[in-house]
Amino acid sequence: MDKSRRSKNNESNWNHFSRLLFVCAVMVCGAASCDCAATDNATIVCPAYMECTKCTKTPSCSWSLSRQTCVDPAQKADGLMVYNDENCPRYAVHKPTVYSATVTMDYAYTVNVSNDVYGFLAFLNRTNVTCYEPETGAATAAVVTKDAIVCGSTKHSNTRAMAFRFYYMAFGDRSVLLRFDNRTDNYVTFYWDTLGCRDVAEYCATCLWDGPDGHVNRYDRCSSNNPCTHEMFEYLSVRSSRDYSSVLTGPVPVRVLGCHAMGVESVTPATGSWNGGTTVRIVVRNHNVLAEHRTVTVTVDGRNCAYPKTVDNETITCVTSPTAMASPMDGVVEVSYDTVRLATAPGTFRFVYPEVTTSSPACGPLRGGTQLRIEGMSLDISRAVRVFVGRQNMSCETIARGPRHIFCMTSPMPGGRSSTGPVSVLFDKVLSLRAVNAFTYTDDEPAIDKGQQFKGIASGGTTVPVRGTRFACVESAELHVVVQTSSRHISSSCAVRNDTYMVCRSPKLDVLSASETSTVLANLFFRLEFAGRVIDLSPQSDSPGYLLYADPEFIDFETVQNRVVIGGRGLDLGYEIADVAIRFQNASGACNVTKHTQHQIACDPSTLVPRTGDHVHSGDGVVVTIGDSFEYIVKKKSTRYNVYPVKIFSIFSGIKIFLIITTVLGSILFCVKTSMGNEDDVTDIINVQYCLSEDIRKSTAT
């Protein structure tokens, strides 16, 4: 016993200590302005929980047994604190169904207590516990035993065959209310029929819930077929959760929320057309009990659901009503039985509205006959649909319709004049929606501007800018180049940017020999899908055709004054500077190209960000990409053969000069010494000159 008590005390001390640690952590976190778990719990209001189990299952909340309140870590803790739901006391009210065949009966309200980990009953035994019965105004003293709280006996008079009584307990100065985890423990039902009332439960439904206004609610309803009262029975109790004082009683308007015994169990389907006509099937628990002698009405997302019909004891159907275009509500389905309303959670049902996004093509001939495709969502949700095109609202005959598209055929434009206007769709003669893009009736074809040169490299993939007029009506475009040697077409795609500009990609053409640098390919043209037909568009007569260049030849690169300079041949032919991208193997991003000439491409690497390490470097090579197809790794320029030979040559030259000077000086000394033994001065001078000239000749020869 002592060991068990010490174990529980140790657990209590540890829980209390851990809670203090949490409080300290929250205080430290707040002082440091850090992002900790307390931020996630900022919206939790612990005092809003009225039961021990709900309180202690909530993060950072704990239950005070002495105060019967839920507290947060910032509040002062006392010696009777519960920190997890496993240590909450368990209450079981001894309230067997009370039957009486007499006019009055005696009843003693008794609460059995188990799982008393922290000695709560011992605490109550040291205080005054009072039992209250608000309906009769009775207040009796309670006796606390080792495992129960027993109220004094009270008398109950026979007023109806079935009656409910509300009980609660208070202790201390009678301001602290004992809170049960199960709210039904506060209610006792009395019957004065010992036979018929035993099976009354299957004819009745009971709901208890906490209202958003802080009230504790109970609603009971029994059908007239119940064998106890033999008539429809209804009971409503609304009490303040703060002090259990009565707020409302009797059959008054009430909205039942979160009740299992009475509530909407399912709604099918979950969506319906915005214009009504959807049959909704609703399953309501105890519908047959609630519907007796009541008028049933249904609203779906704020709209009336017409013709409610009972299918069986728990199922009703209704049909959503048509309405004008309106903003969606909260998606709540509400079933009302006169004053009693059952509501679902928000988002249970959603009205679906059609959505129109785009239409294509953007243009069509004046004679009509263009098949128009309209994109969107839920385009088949309505019963009827009509499409109108242009400022004159020309009819477009619908030929097919699905959830995501509508196909229609344009009618001729009277008057034979070009016109641009919106594409609108009318759903069920009520809802009109427009596509984001317009439609143009026109017979004017696109044209290419003069003064343009079209070029590319052998690998292709570079940009070919094209300027002209009426490109907005082009649905798709291709650049076609005719190879002269084989007359075959090689094409690439184009993208229209606006009404006067489109960008094509140069095709890959392997037709140049190794010695060729460029060639002119004739019969360049553009194939366009325009106004529902395909046309081939040629450039103006001043265009030389398609000028093809060989791929650029890169040699090496070097770093000059914090710039990367790449050398090569033909580096400015067949593409623009915007086609060039240079990147380092250890950095992200592209080196900003600043120079583009025939023999050099230079870039500034200052904007690059290293992937690894602490600096950007080019390493042994940089990657040069031109367009979409050409890529080449350029190696770093080698300095090994340019520097060292110069140094070696300088060393050998110095040694040679030194040897020549040494030889000359040695020869002079030798000749002078030899000539000193000769008496003829003239002969000596001649010998010295000859000796020196021979020695110098030999030295320089070596």
PDB file of all heavy atoms in Angstrom, residues 139-161:
ATOM      1  N   ALA A 139     -32.321  21.047  -1.639  1.00  0.00           N
ATOM      2  CA  ALA A 139     -30.877  21.098  -1.409  1.00  0.00           C
ATOM      3  C   ALA A 139     -30.575  20.250  -0.193  1.00  0.00           C
ATOM      4  O   ALA A 139     -31.054  20.550   0.910  1.00  0.00           O
ATOM      5  CB  ALA A 139     -30.405  22.531  -1.204  1.00  0.00           C
ATOM      6  N   THR A 140     -29.809  19.183  -0.362  1.00  0.00           N
ATOM      7  CA  THR A 140     -29.518  18.259   0.745  1.00  0.00           C
ATOM      8  C   THR A 140     -28.018  18.084   0.860  1.00  0.00           C
ATOM      9  O   THR A 140     -27.267  18.201  -0.116  1.00  0.00           O
ATOM     10  CB  THR A 140     -30.170  16.890   0.495  1.00  0.00           C
ATOM     11  OG1 THR A 140     -29.663  16.336  -0.729  1.00  0.00           O
ATOM     12  CG2 THR A 140     -31.684  17.021   0.399  1.00  0.00           C
ATOM     13  N   ALA A 141     -27.593  17.784   2.077  1.00  0.00           N
ATOM     14  CA  ALA A 141     -26.167  17.534   2.326  1.00  0.00           C
ATOM     15  C   ALA A 141     -25.807  16.144   1.836  1.00  0.00           C
ATOM     16  O   ALA A 141     -26.609  15.204   1.929  1.00  0.00           O
ATOM     17  CB  ALA A 141     -25.864  17.684   3.810  1.00  0.00           C
ATOM     18  N   ALA A 142     -24.597  16.021   1.302  1.00  0.00           N
ATOM     19  CA  ALA A 142     -24.121  14.738   0.785  1.00  0.00           C
ATOM     20  C   ALA A 142     -23.140  14.117   1.766  1.00  0.00           C
ATOM     21  O   ALA A 142     -22.458  14.809   2.522  1.00  0.00           O
ATOM     22  CB  ALA A 142     -23.473  14.909  -0.568  1.00  0.00           C
ATOM     23  N   VAL A 143     -23.081  12.791   1.743  1.00  0.00           N
ATOM     24  CA  VAL A 143     -22.135  12.036   2.558  1.00  0.00           C
ATOM     25  C   VAL A 143     -21.084  11.445   1.626  1.00  0.00           C
ATOM     26  O   VAL A 143     -21.418  10.796   0.630  1.00  0.00           O
ATOM     27  CB  VAL A 143     -22.842  10.917   3.351  1.00  0.00           C
ATOM     28  CG1 VAL A 143     -21.813  10.100   4.132  1.00  0.00           C
ATOM     29  CG2 VAL A 143     -23.888  11.514   4.290  1.00  0.00           C
ATOM     30  N   VAL A 144     -19.814  11.660   1.960  1.00  0.00           N
ATOM     31  CA  VAL A 144     -18.716  11.138   1.146  1.00  0.00           C
ATOM     32  C   VAL A 144     -18.162   9.899   1.801  1.00  0.00           C
ATOM     33  O   VAL A 144     -17.727   9.934   2.960  1.00  0.00           O
ATOM     34  CB  VAL A 144     -17.600  12.193   0.969  1.00  0.00           C
ATOM     35  CG1 VAL A 144     -16.466  11.635   0.125  1.00  0.00           C
ATOM     36  CG2 VAL A 144     -18.163  13.463   0.347  1.00  0.00           C
ATOM     37  N   THR A 145     -18.183   8.784   1.075  1.00  0.00           N
ATOM     38  CA  THR A 145     -17.628   7.531   1.580  1.00  0.00           C
ATOM     39  C   THR A 145     -16.300   7.268   0.865  1.00  0.00           C
ATOM     40  O   THR A 145     -15.779   8.121   0.134  1.00  0.00           O
ATOM     41  CB  THR A 145     -18.601   6.372   1.347  1.00  0.00           C
ATOM     42  OG1 THR A 145     -18.740   6.149  -0.063  1.00  0.00           O
ATOM     43  CG2 THR A 145     -19.977   6.710   1.933  1.00  0.00           C
ATOM     44  N   LYS A 146     -15.776   6.047   1.044  1.00  0.00           N
ATOM     45  CA  LYS A 146     -14.479   5.725   0.433  1.00  0.00           C
ATOM     46  C   LYS A 146     -14.559   5.592  -1.078  1.00  0.00           C
ATOM     47  O   LYS A 146     -13.535   5.658  -1.757  1.00  0.00           O
ATOM     48  CB  LYS A 146     -13.916   4.453   1.040  1.00  0.00           C
ATOM     49  CG  LYS A 146     -14.766   3.213   0.754  1.00  0.00           C
ATOM     50  CD  LYS A 146     -14.122   1.973   1.330  1.00  0.00           C
ATOM     51  CE  LYS A 146     -14.954   0.721   1.014  1.00  0.00           C
ATOM     52  NZ  LYS A 146     -14.305  -0.503   1.548  1.00  0.00           N
ATOM     53  N   ASP A 147     -15.772   5.405  -1.628  1.00  0.00           N
ATOM     54  CA  ASP A 147     -15.877   5.244  -3.076  1.00  0.00           C
ATOM     55  C   ASP A 147     -17.139   5.853  -3.674  1.00  0.00           C
ATOM     56  O   ASP A 147     -17.498   5.561  -4.805  1.00  0.00           O
ATOM     57  CB  ASP A 147     -15.816   3.767  -3.464  1.00  0.00           C
ATOM     58  CG  ASP A 147     -16.916   2.945  -2.811  1.00  0.00           C
ATOM     59  OD1 ASP A 147     -17.741   3.533  -2.083  1.00  0.00           O
ATOM     60  OD2 ASP A 147     -16.954   1.723  -3.020  1.00  0.00           O
ATOM     61  N   ALA A 148     -17.849   6.729  -2.931  1.00  0.00           N
ATOM     62  CA  ALA A 148     -19.094   7.289  -3.460  1.00  0.00           C
ATOM     63  C   ALA A 148     -19.429   8.603  -2.768  1.00  0.00           C
ATOM     64  O   ALA A 148     -18.907   8.929  -1.704  1.00  0.00           O
ATOM     65  CB  ALA A 148     -20.238   6.294  -3.285  1.00  0.00           C
ATOM     66  N   ILE A 149     -20.342   9.329  -3.444  1.00  0.00           N
ATOM     67  CA  ILE A 149     -20.932  10.539  -2.885  1.00  0.00           C
ATOM     68  C   ILE A 149     -22.440  10.309  -2.887  1.00  0.00           C
ATOM     69  O   ILE A 149     -23.045  10.133  -3.963  1.00  0.00           O
ATOM     70  CB  ILE A 149     -20.581  11.789  -3.720  1.00  0.00           C
ATOM     71  CG1 ILE A 149     -19.087  11.894  -3.945  1.00  0.00           C
ATOM     72  CG2 ILE A 149     -21.114  13.046  -3.044  1.00  0.00           C
ATOM     73  CD1 ILE A 149     -18.700  12.983  -4.936  1.00  0.00           C
ATOM     74  N   VAL A 150     -23.066  10.325  -1.705  1.00  0.00           N
ATOM     75  CA  VAL A 150     -24.477   9.975  -1.575  1.00  0.00           C
ATOM     76  C   VAL A 150     -25.266  11.193  -1.100  1.00  0.00           C
ATOM     77  O   VAL A 150     -24.939  11.787  -0.066  1.00  0.00           O
ATOM     78  CB  VAL A 150     -24.676   8.814  -0.579  1.00  0.00           C
ATOM     79  CG1 VAL A 150     -26.158   8.410  -0.499  1.00  0.00           C
ATOM     80  CG2 VAL A 150     -23.817   7.620  -0.974  1.00  0.00           C
ATOM     81  N   CYS A 151     -26.268  11.566  -1.924  1.00  0.00           N
ATOM     82  CA  CYS A 151     -27.114  12.707  -1.568  1.00  0.00           C
ATOM     83  C   CYS A 151     -28.243  12.242  -0.642  1.00  0.00           C
ATOM     84  O   CYS A 151     -28.606  11.049  -0.610  1.00  0.00           O
ATOM     85  CB  CYS A 151     -27.711  13.345  -2.808  1.00  0.00           C
ATOM     86  SG  CYS A 151     -26.471  14.060  -3.912  1.00  0.00           S
ATOM     87  N   GLY A 152     -28.824  13.206   0.053  1.00  0.00           N
ATOM     88  CA  GLY A 152     -29.958  12.896   0.912  1.00  0.00           C
ATOM     89  C   GLY A 152     -31.186  12.528   0.082  1.00  0.00           C
ATOM     90  O   GLY A 152     -31.366  13.000  -1.044  1.00  0.00           O
ATOM     91  N   SER A 153     -32.056  11.722   0.631  1.00  0.00           N
ATOM     92  CA  SER A 153     -33.245  11.253  -0.082  1.00  0.00           C
ATOM     93  C   SER A 153     -34.265  12.377  -0.203  1.00  0.00           C
ATOM     94  O   SER A 153     -34.440  13.189   0.710  1.00  0.00           O
ATOM     95  CB  SER A 153     -33.863  10.070   0.665  1.00  0.00           C
ATOM     96  OG  SER A 153     -35.040   9.649   0.026  1.00  0.00           O
ATOM     97  N   THR A 154     -34.941  12.415  -1.400  1.00  0.00           N
ATOM     98  CA  THR A 154     -35.989  13.405  -1.633  1.00  0.00           C
ATOM     99  C   THR A 154     -37.221  12.703  -2.171  1.00  0.00           C
ATOM    100  O   THR A 154     -37.145  11.595  -2.726  1.00  0.00           O
ATOM    101  CB  THR A 154     -35.529  14.480  -2.644  1.00  0.00           C
ATOM    102  OG1 THR A 154     -35.153  13.832  -3.866  1.00  0.00           O
ATOM    103  CG2 THR A 154     -34.343  15.267  -2.103  1.00  0.00           C
ATOM    104  N   LYS A 155     -38.385  13.339  -2.013  1.00  0.00           N
ATOM    105  CA  LYS A 155     -39.646  12.769  -2.479  1.00  0.00           C
ATOM    106  C   LYS A 155     -40.024  13.379  -3.821  1.00  0.00           C
ATOM    107  O   LYS A 155     -39.780  14.557  -4.072  1.00  0.00           O
ATOM    108  CB  LYS A 155     -40.761  13.020  -1.471  1.00  0.00           C
ATOM    109  CG  LYS A 155     -40.590  12.250  -0.177  1.00  0.00           C
ATOM    110  CD  LYS A 155     -41.790  12.430   0.719  1.00  0.00           C
ATOM    111  CE  LYS A 155     -41.655  11.625   2.012  1.00  0.00           C
ATOM    112  NZ  LYS A 155     -41.665  10.170   1.725  1.00  0.00           N
ATOM    113  N   HIS A 156     -40.631  12.561  -4.674  1.00  0.00           N
ATOM    114  CA  HIS A 156     -41.062  13.003  -5.991  1.00  0.00           C
ATOM    115  C   HIS A 156     -42.525  12.640  -6.184  1.00  0.00           C
ATOM    116  O   HIS A 156     -42.925  11.506  -5.927  1.00  0.00           O
ATOM    117  CB  HIS A 156     -40.209  12.349  -7.081  1.00  0.00           C
ATOM    118  CG  HIS A 156     -38.756  12.748  -7.000  1.00  0.00           C
ATOM    119  ND1 HIS A 156     -38.270  13.865  -7.614  1.00  0.00           N
ATOM    120  CD2 HIS A 156     -37.722  12.174  -6.335  1.00  0.00           C
ATOM    121  CE1 HIS A 156     -36.968  13.957  -7.352  1.00  0.00           C
ATOM    122  NE2 HIS A 156     -36.614  12.941  -6.577  1.00  0.00           N
ATOM    123  N   SER A 157     -43.310  13.605  -6.610  1.00  0.00           N
ATOM    124  CA  SER A 157     -44.752  13.401  -6.772  1.00  0.00           C
ATOM    125  C   SER A 157     -45.071  12.954  -8.186  1.00  0.00           C
ATOM    126  O   SER A 157     -44.364  13.301  -9.150  1.00  0.00           O
ATOM    127  CB  SER A 157     -45.519  14.690  -6.447  1.00  0.00           C
ATOM    128  OG  SER A 157     -45.249  15.103  -5.124  1.00  0.00           O
ATOM    129  N   ASN A 158     -46.166  12.225  -8.312  1.00  0.00           N
ATOM    130  CA  ASN A 158     -46.628  11.726  -9.608  1.00  0.00           C
ATOM    131  C   ASN A 158     -47.390  12.834 -10.321  1.00  0.00           C
ATOM    132  O   ASN A 158     -48.538  13.104 -10.020  1.00  0.00           O
ATOM    133  CB  ASN A 158     -47.526  10.506  -9.392  1.00  0.00           C
ATOM    134  CG  ASN A 158     -48.020   9.950 -10.712  1.00  0.00           C
ATOM    135  OD1 ASN A 158     -47.723  10.489 -11.772  1.00  0.00           O
ATOM    136  ND2 ASN A 158     -48.764   8.874 -10.645  1.00  0.00           N
ATOM    137  N   THR A 159     -46.681  13.494 -11.266  1.00  0.00           N
ATOM    138  CA  THR A 159     -47.327  14.539 -12.060  1.00  0.00           C
ATOM    139  C   THR A 159     -47.587  14.071 -13.489  1.00  0.00           C
ATOM    140  O   THR A 159     -48.577  14.441 -14.094  1.00  0.00           O
ATOM    141  CB  THR A 159     -46.473  15.807 -12.092  1.00  0.00           C
ATOM    142  OG1 THR A 159     -45.178  15.481 -12.604  1.00  0.00           O
ATOM    143  CG2 THR A 159     -46.318  16.387 -10.680  1.00  0.00           C
ATOM    144  N   ARG A 160     -46.682  13.271 -14.013  1.00  0.00           N
ATOM    145  CA  ARG A 160     -46.823  12.708 -15.359  1.00  0.00           C
ATOM    146  C   ARG A 160     -46.310  11.286 -15.329  1.00  0.00           C
ATOM    147  O   ARG A 160     -45.595  10.872 -14.418  1.00  0.00           O
ATOM    148  CB  ARG A 160     -46.033  13.528 -16.388  1.00  0.00           C
ATOM    149  CG  ARG A 160     -46.494  14.973 -16.511  1.00  0.00           C
ATOM    150  CD  ARG A 160     -45.731  15.700 -17.592  1.00  0.00           C
ATOM    151  NE  ARG A 160     -45.965  15.115 -18.918  1.00  0.00           N
ATOM    152  CZ  ARG A 160     -45.399  15.578 -20.030  1.00  0.00           C
ATOM    153  NH1 ARG A 160     -44.551  16.611 -19.966  1.00  0.00           N
ATOM    154  NH2 ARG A 160     -45.658  15.019 -21.200  1.00  0.00           N
ATOM    155  N   ALA A 161     -46.676  10.518 -16.325  1.00  0.00           N
ATOM    156  CA  ALA A 161     -46.207   9.139 -16.392  1.00  0.00           C
ATOM    157  C   ALA A 161     -44.695   9.070 -16.545  1.00  0.00           C
ATOM    158  O   ALA A 161     -44.064   8.081 -16.169  1.00  0.00           O
ATOM    159  CB  ALA A 161     -46.881   8.405 -17.551  1.00  0.00           C
TER     160      ALA A 161
END
